[in-house]
Amino acid sequence: MRVAVFSAQRFERDFLQESGLLQEFGSVDIDFLEARLEADTAKLAMGYDAVCAFVNDSICAATLKGLKEGGVRCLLLRCAGFNNVDLAAAAEHGICVLRVPAYSPYAVAEFGVALLLALARKTHRAYARVRDGNFAAGGLTGFELHGRTVGVIGTGKIGRLFARILAGFGATVLAYDVRQSEEAIKFGCEYVPMDELLSRSEIVSLHCPLLPSTRHMIDAEAIGKMKRGATLINVSRGELMDTRAVVDALKSGQLGALGADVYEGEAGLFFHDLSGQVLKDDTMMTLQSLPNVLLTPHVAFLTDTALGNIWTTTFNNVLDFDKAKDSEELLNQLKNQVVA
Ligand code: NAD
């Protein structure tokens, strides 16, 4: 099997070499391409059996058409979310889509807590001051998580872990999800309607997938229902928030702080070193300048455990596809993975 890995990052290649996974799965012939997978670059996959895509690749109908024309039969996502894939077009072109449904929910949940703790205690600002020879404590008064009310939107694998950690801090945890989790109720989550969650929480954390129904779920109206000065955490997808409305609320004080590992329009920015360039994205420039904002470039997943799981599952997906590719029944069984 020949696989073209798009949006290949240096840290991934290094990890694959150092972990021995490249050698362990030596029967899979992979080439790393720096290019992002999109309609214009799909032709680079000509002659490959499969392509491997990353979280910000654009796998729209035109991309899939290009892949099909080049002979590609399998799309491997080395991420959990599949909001960037036109699944109907993939089915139409007979391209089997496989993903990594769970690689380490702990990595993402713990990172969300790290952002929250840093904002609550202004650790990022204290660190920068000390580096600058400024040892003054003025302006570094924070707040404790013990006794706070935290609203968790989406109590799937990651949201449940985030909620459990916060319950461990002694916070009151409110939850909203279209499906309630018995496990979350058992460790103390109280499910409430969305509006009640927004109005009662001092901290709101987003953990649901990006769907047409969840896009901009945190807009000006939702922010208006939140407690004044609340903290918003988003380690899920940038498009869950209307970023312009979030910026306005951060400026007016309606939002007290934002911790985000994702950004609406992050493709083209995140995973690139643009430090020598003038950014053209005014919203990002505003966010970068606000002291109550902590932004990271989609790295919540990035632990050694998660990388190992992502690549082991991806290689196994290649091998499973290779075994199933000539049987419609086996292929259908495999394809169910995408939405399972
Ligand atoms: P999951 O499928 O286990 O859980 C998602 C939960 O969201 C489910 O319980 C689902 O019922 C709920 N949900 C769906 N629609 C909803 C709605 N309208 N309102 C409220 N809840 C809704 O997924 P997960 O593994 O916990 O991952 C959650 C999200 O985290 C992913 O979709 C992805 O966007 C994001 N993620 C980010 C990173 C990162 O590095 N920053 C890494 C992995 C995943």
Side-chain angles (χ1 to χ4, degrees):
M1 287 284 292
R2 291 192 66 218
V3 182
V5 178
F6 281 82
S7 297
Q9 307 290 320
R10 181 83 247 166
F11 68 79
E12 294 179 291
R13 292 191 202 197
D14 291 346
F15 175 82
L16 284 171
Q17 280 293 352
E18 285 158 18
S19 64
L21 281 174
L22 267 189
Q23 293 77 357
E24 188 182 332
F25 290 94
S27 63
V28 181
D29 181 5
I30 64 174
D31 286 322
F32 296 98
L33 310 178
E34 273 182 32
R36 179 171 173 250
L37 179 56
E38 55 193 347
D40 288 346
T41 57
K43 54 184 169 296
L44 296 174
M46 172 92 70
Y48 285 89
D49 305 293
V51 291
C52 182
F54 202 30
V55 64
N56 286 327
D57 290 342
S58 167
I59 309 139
C60 59
T63 306
L64 287 155
K65 184 168 176 281
L67 292 176
K68 159 90 178 173
E69 283 165 5
V72 171
R73 290 187 59 198
C74 181
L75 167 67
L76 304 150
L77 301 171
R78 55 189 193 284
C79 52
F82 49 91
N83 51 279
N84 54 341
V85 183
D86 185 333
L87 291 178
E92 187 191 317
H93 292 302
I95 293 178
C96 175
V97 184
L98 301 173
R99 65 171 177 143
V100 187
Y103 40 85
S104 177
Y106 299 95
V108 186
E110 287 176 11
F111 197 86
V113 177
L115 287 181
L116 174 57
L117 275 173
L119 285 167
R121 303 306 305 272
K122 303 190 166 80
T123 323
H124 56 307
R125 301 193 62 204
Y127 169 78
R129 274 191 198 184
V130 171
R131 302 258 310 181
D132 200 30
N134 176 356
F135 301 96
L140 295 181
T141 305
F143 63 86
E144 294 167 24
L145 299 181
H146 180 264
R148 297 275 149 174
T149 300
V150 181
V152 177
I153 301 179
T155 50
K157 293 178 284 298
I158 296 169
R160 272 203 305 279
L161 284 171
F162 181 90
R164 190 190 279 276
I165 298 170
L166 267 296
F169 275 109
T172 298
V173 185
L174 305 179
Y176 171 75
D177 196 309
V178 289
R179 272 194 310 242
Q180 298 196 356
S181 148
E182 282 303 315
E183 184 198 331
I185 294 169
K186 274 198 195 122
F187 66 73
C189 275
E190 180 193 350
Y191 279 94
V192 293
M194 176 79 160
D195 282 1
E196 187 177 337
L197 179 147
L198 293 174
S199 64
R200 283 177 58 195
S201 301
E202 284 138 329
I203 295 145
V204 172
S205 193
L206 309 178
H207 298 283
C208 53
L210 176 63
L211 303 166
S213 59
T214 59
R215 187 173 181 276
H216 284 188
M217 70 193 310
I218 301 299
D219 58 7
E221 193 186 339
I223 295 168
K225 291 175 184 162
M226 289 167 73
K227 272 186 191 284
R228 188 163 175 82
T231 296
L232 180 63
I233 301 293
N234 185 2
V235 290
S236 205
R237 285 292 180 266
E239 290 82 354
L240 295 179
M241 318 182 293
D242 176 344
T243 316
R244 282 298 339 158
V246 168
V247 168
D248 289 346
L250 285 162
K251 283 183 178 168
S252 74
Q254 173 59 17
L255 271 180
L258 168 71
D261 183 50
V262 286
Y263 175 66
E264 193 173 20
E266 68 180 48
L269 281 180
F270 286 9
F271 302 113
H272 300 283
D273 179 359
L274 305 177
S275 53
Q277 298 181 28
V278 175
L279 290 189
K280 292 181 185 67
D281 182 334
D282 289 347
T283 308
M284 171 55 84
M285 293 206 324
T286 307
L287 283 171
Q288 283 175 311
S289 72
L290 296 174
N292 50 349
V293 172
L294 186 46
L295 277 185
T296 50
H298 210 134
V299 289
F301 74 99
L302 194 49
T303 65
D304 49 359
T305 306
L307 279 180
N309 292 339
I310 287 170
W311 280 100
T312 302
T313 306
T314 299
F315 280 123
N316 281 320
N317 282 344
V318 177
L319 300 179
D320 288 346
F321 174 75
D322 194 27
K323 277 191 224 130
K325 67 179 187 294
D326 298 321
S327 152
E328 200 170 325
E329 190 191 334
L330 287 177
L331 264 184
N332 280 337
Q333 279 174 22
L334 257 186
K335 279 180 195 165
N336 288 336
Q337 263 201 48
V338 175
V339 281

